[in-house]
């Protein structure tokens, strides 16, 4: 049968349309981000390259909504070929504090496995294979292990109880405390609690042991004058105090930073100075004695230079830039050479690739954290090859290799190799899930505020964005205040998940933010809430004026921690917003001073103690603006208040006072209390509930 010419053409067109439809079906349509997308992204830890530069080891957490189903293991990736990374351990408990042996054949790490009440040191033979061996069985566990330069010994941090001289004493004291009939805590120095834990009287120590099963650890500071000082200690972390300690190049001593005035934290800044102690133990030698704090210690490959990050604590100032410094080794002068003195930015991390005589480092600027380098003499500052967006959140060197983790708001974390041209992605744990999400990179813009500051902002658009439509605006305020909004994938306040129901999200770096120099970060001093809030309001005005798709009649604001403080201030002082979200937000400056885990910095910021004549304590406490309600200038906006009961940074009484104030003034308000959360909401189902409540509150008043 002959097919008419027109029918042939129709047949061809129909076939082409069918093929096009099949091709379209073959490429899955992108979807708006979900909480599952955010929560189930794999979490990639900081890679540790081997000393020979051939391998990198890092942790990968397989998250789950039920913490009992969550896994975390070590993975290893070759740096000399393109073979995919492979899993190195198979333990549900997870591993941390990885350190390579000098010959690049063994790894030590901290893990809590079957039978461990505290984290212990394990060793695994990477070259020969086999199961990991436990090297310690300490009652109070071990932290941050490091191989000696010859690989025969291990340095680590642990704790003792007051009066203990050895592990037998520690074990005996631990049993006595477990068996005692009372549960009271007693304190004679500040602070009594930190972040989400009540502190105890354990004392931090440095230990060295042979790198062998059954070896007996030696407490290097036992009986020393330094450890006997009432103010001796290290930085406080989740697992207790830490001492930043490394082996001296000859392996005969340990160099470390420690504080000697921790007992003055209620009335002074605590400084960390440099010390050294023989590997055989005994009295420590103090290497520096100034108003600097030193941390992140590293030796150059030739052992002739000690590098450190340092902050010159300027009296009466609320913020100090962290700079890269060095000492000739052995230290002949207690005065450091400041390598980045001309750079008005805080160095966040650095690495020392062998053979380059250059320090590779990163710092924050305008939403990004990129790679730079400087030579050992402090000259020839360069911008290294970096990805044009996003942030580096870890950086380490082994041999000539430099590796780290890079991410952006639309590229969840992956391991990258840096140097020799463009950065190279080494892993693909999250790329498939990320590619299925309909999201756009942040849009950056600046404006000049009425106070003269140049203010940087990022704008996040929702899925299926149409510039011809009108969208409500949600101004989300970062915490800190010494912090910066970064172009990165965020778990707790994910930009795109907040925008997902159809909002444009505005991220503003108000004065007090880092990444814009020391003066800008210090500009918050004496003006903790009003000035930053004014800049946020002006940023909202600028966004509405600049972008026609923003509906200026539908505005909301919210934040957490310092962002929660500012959210409370906005709710107390303006009626321009239709809804406010406040998580872990300060309601009263005086109460926050007296109930949080830090007070001295708050006095510095406000210009003096709460009983002095500084009006800021009264004039910038949100609760004391309650009279604005009657005047119609504040305390009318519906507010969602949330808090974790275990939050000791911004204690729950702030949220309770906030809710009481709103109810007293008959303001629409809702209080969410998470009994098992701290300053952050870290549990999967709690997080899902929180986002649902935020979206519900915004929808109620913006849509």
């Amino acid at each position: 049968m002959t097919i008419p010419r027109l029918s042939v053409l129709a047949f061809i067109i129909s076939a082409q349309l069918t093929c096009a439809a099949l091709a379209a079906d073959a490429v899955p349509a992108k979807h708006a981000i979900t909480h599952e997308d955010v929560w189930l992204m794999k979490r990639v830890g900081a890679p540790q390259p081997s000393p020979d530069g051939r391998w990198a080891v890092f942790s990968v957490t397989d998250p789950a909504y039920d913490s009992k189903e969550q896994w975390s293991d070590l993975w290893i990736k070759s740096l000399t070929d393109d073979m995919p990374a492979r899993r190195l351990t198979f333990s549900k408990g997870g591993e941390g504090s990885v350190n390579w042996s000098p010959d690049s054949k063994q790894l030590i790490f901290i893990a809590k496995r079957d039978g461990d009440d505290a984290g212990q040191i394990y060793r695994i033979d990477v070259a020969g294979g086999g199961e990991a061996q436990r090297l310690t069985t300490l009652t109070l566990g071990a932290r941050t292990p490091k191989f000696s330069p010859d690989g025969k010994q291990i340095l680590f941090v642990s704790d003792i109880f007051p009066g203990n001289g050895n592990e037998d004493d520690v074990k005996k004291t631990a049993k006595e405390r477990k068996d005692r009939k009372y549960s009271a805590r007693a304190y004679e120095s500040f602070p009594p609690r930190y972040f989400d834990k009540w502190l105890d009287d354990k004392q931090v120590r440095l230990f060295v042991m042979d790198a062998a099963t059954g070896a007996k650890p030696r407490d290097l500071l036992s009986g020393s004058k330094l450890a006997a000082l009432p103010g001796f200690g290290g930085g406080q972390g989740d697992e207790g105090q830490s001492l930043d300690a490394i082996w001296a190049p000859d392996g005969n001593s340990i160099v470390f930073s420690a504080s000697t005035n921790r007992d003055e934290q209620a009335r002074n800044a605590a400084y960390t100075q440099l010390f050294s102690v023989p590997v055989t133990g005994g009295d420590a030698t103090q290497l520096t004695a100034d108003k600097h704090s030193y941390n992140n210690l590293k030796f150059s490959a030739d052992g002739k230079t000690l590098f450190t990050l340092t902050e010159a604590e300027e009296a009466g100032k609320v913020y100090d830039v962290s700079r890269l410094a060095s000492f000739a080794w052995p230290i002949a002068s207690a005065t450091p050479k400041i390598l980045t003195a001309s750079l008005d930015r805080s160095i966040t991390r650095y690495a020392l690739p062998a053979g380059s005589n250059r320090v590779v480092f990163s710092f924050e600027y305008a939403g990004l954290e990129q790679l730079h380098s400087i030579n050992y003499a402090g000259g020839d500052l360069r911008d290294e090859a970096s990805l044009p967006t996003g942030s580096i959140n870890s950086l380490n060197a082994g041999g000539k290799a430099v590796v780290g983790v890079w991410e952006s708001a639309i590229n969840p974390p992956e391991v990258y190799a840096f140097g020799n041209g463009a950065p190279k992605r080494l892993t693909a744990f999250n790329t498939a899930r990320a590619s299925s999400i309909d999201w756009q990179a942040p849009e950056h813009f600046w404006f000049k505020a009425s106070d003269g500051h140049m203010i940087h902002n990022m704008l996040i658009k929702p899925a299926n964005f149409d510039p011809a439509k009108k969208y409500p605006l949600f101004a989300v305020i970062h915490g800190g205040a010494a912090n910066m909004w970064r172009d990165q994938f965020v778990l707790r306040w994910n930009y795109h998940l907040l925008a997902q129901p159809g909002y444009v999200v505005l991220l503003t770096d108000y004065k007090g933010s880092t990444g814009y120099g020391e003066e800008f970060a210090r500009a918050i001093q004496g003006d903790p809430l009003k000035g930053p809030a004014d800049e946020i309001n002006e940023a909202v005005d600028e966004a509405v004026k600049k972008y026609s798709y923003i509906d200026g009649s539908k505005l909301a604001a919210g934040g957490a921690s310092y962002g929660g403080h500012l959210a409370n201030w906005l709710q107390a002082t303006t009626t321009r917003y239709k809804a406010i979200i406040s998580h872990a937000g300060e309601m009263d400056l005086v109460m926050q001073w007296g109930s949080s885990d830090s007070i001295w910095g708050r006095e510095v910021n406000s210009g003096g103690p709460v009983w002095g004549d500084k009006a800021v304590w009264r004039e910038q406490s949100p609760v004391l603006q309650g009279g604005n309600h009657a005047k119609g200038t504040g305390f009318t906006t519906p507010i969602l208040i949330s808090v974790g009961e275990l939050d000791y940074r911004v204690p729950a009484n702030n949220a309770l006072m906030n809710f009481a104030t709103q109810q007293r003034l008959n303001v629409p308000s809702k209080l969410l209390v998470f009994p098992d959360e701290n300053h952050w909401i870290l549990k999967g189902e709690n997080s899902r509930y929180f986002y649902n409540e935020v979206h519900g509150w915004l929808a109620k008043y913006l849509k």
Side-chain angles (χ1 to χ4, degrees), residues 590-625:
V590 175
M591 181 175 63
Q592 174 68 3
W593 171 86
S595 60
S596 73
D597 57 2
S598 64
I599 62 177
W600 175 245
R602 302 182 192 283
E603 287 190 24
V604 172
N605 201 13
S606 296
V610 296
W611 52 81
D613 60 355
K614 300 302 179 182
V616 66
W617 291 107
R618 300 175 298 279
E619 293 178 355
Q620 296 204 26
S621 283
V623 68
L624 297 183
Q625 315 310 310

Side-chain angles (χ1 to χ4, degrees), residues 10 192 237 256 276 514:
F256 63 100
S276 69
T514 54

Side-chain angles (χ1 to χ4, degrees), residues 343-566:
L343 182 63
D344 188 21
R345 296 288 183 273
S346 273
I347 310 303
T348 48
R349 52 188 59 84
Y350 72 99
L352 304 172
S356 68
N357 287 325
R358 297 191 68 81
V359 186
V360 179
F361 59 92
S362 64
F363 61 79
E364 303 169 330
Y365 177 63
L368 308 179
E369 188 162 336
Q370 301 287 14
L371 215 57
H372 313 270
S373 73
I374 199 167
N375 63 31
Y376 281 12
D380 190 22
L381 178 64
R382 301 177 189 169
D383 291 337
E384 295 291 330
S386 296
L387 291 157
T389 61
S391 297
I392 294 168
N393 68 31
S394 71
L395 192 68
N396 289 297
K400 295 182 179 180
V402 178
V403 295
V405 171
W406 179 87
E407 63 182 304
S408 78
I410 60 173
N411 293 281
E414 300 288 355
V415 176
Y416 276 71
F418 301 102
N420 299 320
K424 180 180 180 181
R425 180 169 55 80
L426 302 180
T427 63
F429 292 104
N430 293 309
T431 53
R433 182 184 284 271
S435 67
S436 70
I437 299 172
D438 178 7
W439 50 5
Q440 297 183 38
E443 181 173 343
H444 298 244
F445 73 92
W446 294 77
F447 75 95
K448 188 173 184 178
S450 60
D451 59 12
H453 290 131
M454 291 301 299
I455 303 297
H456 175 259
N457 308 262
M458 293 192 296
L459 210 65
I460 308 297
K461 300 166 187 173
N464 301 310
F465 175 74
D466 182 351
K469 293 183 177 180
K470 286 284 191 178
Y471 295 89
L473 180 72
F474 183 22
V476 183
I477 311 165
H478 73 68
N483 199 356
M484 178 190 78
W485 282 125
R486 294 175 181 81
D487 181 4
Q488 66 178 153
F489 182 80
V490 182
L491 183 66
R492 290 185 289 272
W493 284 74
N494 185 273
Y495 315 147
H496 289 90
L497 188 55
L498 291 172
Q500 189 261 2
Y503 308 120
V504 170
V505 169
L506 175 65
L507 308 172
T508 299
D509 283 340
Y510 53 84
K511 71 176 185 178
S513 302
T514 54
Y516 306 94
E518 199 166 57
E519 182 180 346
F520 188 83
R522 287 176 172 177
I524 199 172
Q525 193 161 348
D527 185 18
L529 298 180
K530 184 182 183 304
D534 289 346
E535 291 180 346
I536 291 166
N537 288 333
E538 291 182 32
V540 170
D541 291 341
E542 183 70 17
V544 171
K545 180 175 67 176
K546 185 178 179 68
Y547 300 100
S548 60
Y549 50 78
I550 294 176
D551 186 346
S553 69
K554 295 181 178 179
L555 307 175
S561 191
Y562 212 98
H565 305 355
L566 289 171

Side-chain angles (χ1 to χ4, degrees), residues 580-582 638-643 655 658-659 662-663 667-673 689 692-694 696-697 700-701:
I580 295 286
I581 312 289
S582 173
I639 183 169
L640 177 66
I641 305 160
S642 60
V643 68
N658 195 350
F659 187 60
Q662 308 302 329
Q663 294 289 300
V667 179
S669 49
K670 188 173 185 177
L671 173 65
L672 309 177
V673 179
Y689 172 79
N692 286 340
E693 288 293 311
V694 169
W697 194 258
K700 185 175 182 178
Y701 295 102

Side-chain angles (χ1 to χ4, degrees), residues 270-293:
Y271 308 104
T272 55
Q273 296 295 303
L274 295 181
F275 299 84
S276 69
V277 62
V279 74
T280 53
D283 279 324
T285 300
Q286 186 163 348
L287 303 177
T288 60
D290 51 32
K291 292 300 175 98
H292 289 224
S293 284

Side-chain angles (χ1 to χ4, degrees), residues 111 160 241 243 265 281 311 398 453 532 621 623 664 683 685:
I160 64 169
Q241 291 182 43
L243 295 172
Q265 288 184 85
E311 296 174 6
H453 290 131
S621 283
V623 68
R664 170 65 176 81
K683 294 179 171 61
E685 293 297 351

Side-chain angles (χ1 to χ4, degrees), residues 133-149:
Q133 298 175 305
R134 181 169 56 191
L135 299 185
T136 60
T137 55
L138 294 168
T139 303
L140 299 180
R143 303 188 291 280
T144 59
K146 294 181 177 70
F147 272 108
S148 61

